[in-house]
Every structure is written in structure tokens, then in C-alpha cells.
Amino acid sequence: MNLRSIPKIELHLHLDCSLSYKVVHQLDPLVTFDEFEHSFKANAQCHSLLDYLARAARGFELMQDPVSLEMVTLDLFDQLQADGVIYAEIRFAPYLHLLNGMNLAEVVEVVAGAVRKGIEKTGVEAGLILCTLRHFSEHQSMDTVKLVQSFKGNQVVGFDIAADEAGFPVDNHISAFHYARENGLHITAHAGEACGPQSVWETLANFYPSRIGHGVRSIEDLTLIEHLKKENIHLEVCPTSNIQTGIYKSIKEHPADFLFKSGISMSINTDGRTISNVTLTQEYEKLRDNFGWNTAELRRCNLNAIEAAFMSASKKKALKNRFLELWQNSDLNF
Ligand SMILES: [Zn+2]
């Protein structure tokens, strides 16, 4: 019974929500373990997405210079390796790391360099997704998408929009996503989390994503489910995070199993390893224990994730071969 040893792909993972206590303590020795537990991690059930997002600030406040950005990135690679992840797409918002005088390009350069070191050190393959945030201005969104364009091929693989979908409309970001589409950039977008299916429709119409971050509330509109299947839009599902932000009361009420059975392309992800207080192995265990998921479900979710990954067809093929070989050799009696 070893879910840790099976190879895993993770597509939805926020860098600044994934600091271990070890690296936090190195960056600020004054943060006690208790404080870390209470203010970096979200409660099992927060009041709302906003309450959840407030925890993320503790992470990015510590990531404001090249040394700390590199330490946090390498720390995440250690966590991924320990969790059996073989490929991850790690996302962050460069604009949140300018408080101590770094500029946007420097921030991305440092994190991209740290990703290269992490890959070399751990063997975990990875790419970076740069995020704009819902409350950002049109100008900030454009700056962010232009970073994706200029760092394309230098570890950066895609563009995302995150944060409070209920509080801020799509308007400020339409031109940035138009630019992304015009330039053939890979696009994902958070939607269908705090808001219902209408936010997924709105996101599809304005941001042209090939993947949706969460998107779980699409199940409230079966026409939308059929549309997502027809268009082969992949859902990056993060069960534990959805319980914490109060979308569902418990894992038993989470639609992961329903979505899977609908035949939609989906993967399982942690969202943030610290803030959600969960590993991908533990997410898989929850699905096994609550929905009876076994090798077939987990294998298909990972193969879906490879298909939806932001990489070329030849790299996908190589990753798929590596995944299948490791899968064959792992302990599949769980
Ligand atoms: Zn997220």
C-alpha cells in the first residue's frame, strides 16, 4: 500500500503557498512552529476564499529578494521529490515580489534559475506559470503576460489569473488574455471556485484557457460539463483546498468522483502544500478512502494531466513514457 511511490503529475501548485516550516524558519527565525501552523496554514474550513487567500500573504512577504526566492523554490522541489511528483507546473505572481526593490524580470529570472537548479538536484521536471491577479490593473496584467512571452522557453510555460473571482470582474484582464492568445501562449485561469458555472462560461469567453483552475462548480450546469468535454478543457481539481474555502462541507460532498465519471479531463492537485496542509499523496489517499479510487482513476488523472501539460507534443510523449515506466515499477497494491 504505497501511494507515495507512484509517479505523479501536478499542474496546479502555488509557490508562495508551499513553504515548509524548515524554509520559513531559515528565512525568519522568529517565526515559531505554532505561528507557522496558525498563520501560514489555512484552517480545515475557512470562512471564505478571502480568508484562505489571506494566509498566502505570509508566504510571499518572506520572498522579496533573490536568496529567499531561490531557497523557497528549492525547498518546494524537495517536497515534490518526497511526494513522488515527477513533473510540476509551479505558479506565482511576479508582481508580489517587488517590495524590496527587485524588478519583474529579475524576479522571474531568479525563480527560473532556481527551477533549473531544482530539476538538476532532484530530477523532478518542472515549468513555471506566471499569474496575474483579479484585483490587478490592466497594466499589471499586461506586464505579466509580456513576461510570459519574453521568458517563454526559459522555464516559463504559461499564464494564469488567480485570487478573488467573486470580488473583481474580468474587465481589467481581457486585453492581457487577448495578447496571450494572439501570441500562442498556454493559458489556464482560476474559475468556478468561489463563483458558480457562470464564472466558468465568462472565463472561457474572455480568457481562452485550455485548462481551468478548479472549475469544480461546473457540475451545477450539465450543459457546461458537456461543453468542457467537447472542447477538451482540462480541470485542475484541488479537493482539500475546496473544503477549506467552504465550497463543500466535506470530501464526501466534493464532486471529484462525479467529474471523473462524467469523462471530463481532470487532474488532482494540492493548490498549495502549506496553505492546504496537504501533499499530493494525501489527496490521493482521500480519494481512495472516500470514493474507492484505485489504480485506474489515478492513472487516468495523471495521463490527463500529461495531455493537458503546457509543453510540446514531443516532450509530452517523453513524459508519458517516463510516467508509464515508473508506474509499471511502482507498488500498485493500494
Ligand atoms: Zn490556485
Side-chain angles (χ1 to χ4, degrees):
M1 190 171 300
N2 192 350
L3 279 168
R4 198 222 66 82
S5 77
I6 64 167
K8 303 173 187 72
I9 313 294
E10 182 159 26
L11 299 181
H12 191 123
L13 176 58
H14 294 262
L15 179 64
D16 53 353
C17 299
S18 302
L19 289 75
S20 71
Y21 179 61
K22 185 175 144 229
V23 80
V24 167
H25 193 68
Q26 283 168 344
L27 293 170
D28 182 357
L30 295 178
V31 179
T32 64
F33 185 69
D34 273 358
E35 190 187 350
F36 175 75
E37 291 287 308
H38 288 111
S39 63
F40 284 72
K41 293 182 177 177
N43 298 325
Q45 281 179 323
C46 293
H47 302 300
S48 66
L49 178 62
L50 281 182
D51 181 16
Y52 182 83
L53 291 171
R55 320 282 165 150
R58 293 305 311 265
F60 70 73
E61 282 164 7
L62 288 174
M63 301 157 63
Q64 298 296 335
D65 59 77
V67 173
S68 59
L69 277 170
E70 178 172 306
M71 281 168 69
V72 168
T73 307
L74 290 173
D75 173 65
L76 178 55
F77 270 87
D78 289 341
Q79 296 177 54
L80 294 171
Q81 186 182 37
D83 203 15
V85 173
I86 62 166
Y87 175 73
E89 289 179 3
I90 301 164
R91 62 187 76 192
F92 73 106
Y95 253 107
L96 296 180
H97 302 275
L98 309 181
L99 299 176
N100 281 356
M102 296 184 80
N103 67 40
L104 289 170
E106 281 168 350
V107 169
V108 181
E109 240 160 60
V110 167
V111 179
V115 165
R116 280 192 292 279
K117 280 188 191 171
I119 293 169
E120 202 166 308
K121 183 174 166 230
T122 62
V124 177
E125 292 291 334
L128 286 171
I129 295 172
L130 305 185
C131 307
T132 187
L133 302 179
R134 280 278 186 157
H135 53 278
F136 279 2
S137 67
E138 184 169 19
H139 176 71
Q140 287 175 305
S141 262
M142 277 307 293
D143 284 349
T144 307
V145 74
K146 285 183 177 169
L147 283 171
V148 177
Q149 171 72 356
S150 58
F151 280 87
K152 196 167 67 172
N154 184 6
Q155 307 306 141
V156 174
V157 298
F159 184 45
D160 174 40
I161 183 161
D164 181 16
E165 62 169 322
F168 297 87
V170 294
D171 309 35
N172 281 359
H173 315 290
I174 289 173
S175 50
F177 280 92
H178 185 72
Y179 176 95
R181 185 167 76 159
E182 291 291 296
N183 285 280
L185 302 176
H186 292 299
I187 300 169
T188 180
H190 282 68
E193 181 186 15
C195 294
Q198 194 49 41
S199 85
V200 178
W201 285 116
E202 188 183 39
T203 293
L204 293 171
N206 291 288
F207 298 161
Y208 331 105
S210 62
R211 304 188 332 218
I212 298 280
H214 301 286
V216 284
R217 292 191 58 190
S218 302
I219 59 147
E220 295 166 26
D221 177 352
L222 293 181
T223 313
L224 176 56
I225 292 287
E226 287 311 309
H227 180 77
L228 295 170
K229 278 166 64 178
K230 188 169 139 271
E231 298 297 320
N232 198 26
I233 307 286
H234 177 87
L235 299 189
E236 307 158 357
V237 175
C238 313
T240 299
S241 167
N242 295 157
I243 312 303
Q244 287 178 315
T245 55
I247 307 175
Y248 305 106
K249 282 201 184 70
S250 70
I251 188 78
K252 285 220 180 299
E253 291 179 27
H254 193 279
D257 190 52
F258 180 92
L259 288 165
F260 181 84
K261 287 183 175 139
S262 80
I264 212 159
S265 173
M266 62 177 271
S267 54
I268 300 299
N269 307 273
T270 63
D271 206 5
R273 285 161 178 266
T274 307
I275 200 165
S276 298
N277 194 21
V278 76
T279 63
L280 200 46
T281 300
Q282 289 165 338
E283 293 280 12
Y284 288 6
E285 284 167 355
K286 290 179 188 185
L287 293 164
R288 177 196 61 192
D289 297 344
N290 288 282
F291 300 115
W293 277 30
N294 211 302
T295 47
E297 290 85 356
L298 296 174
R299 185 175 184 274
R300 196 164 102 200
C301 280
N302 278 295
L303 289 173
N304 284 164
I306 293 170
E307 206 44 57
F310 292 161
M311 58 173 67
S312 66
S314 61
K315 282 189 176 165
K316 279 183 197 176
K317 197 167 171 228
L319 179 59
K320 186 176 173 185
N321 288 341
R322 184 170 171 226
F323 170 79
L324 290 174
E325 192 182 326
L326 290 165
W327 184 269
Q328 209 68 39
N329 295 332
S330 52
D331 175 8
L332 296 177
N333 298 311
F334 45 84

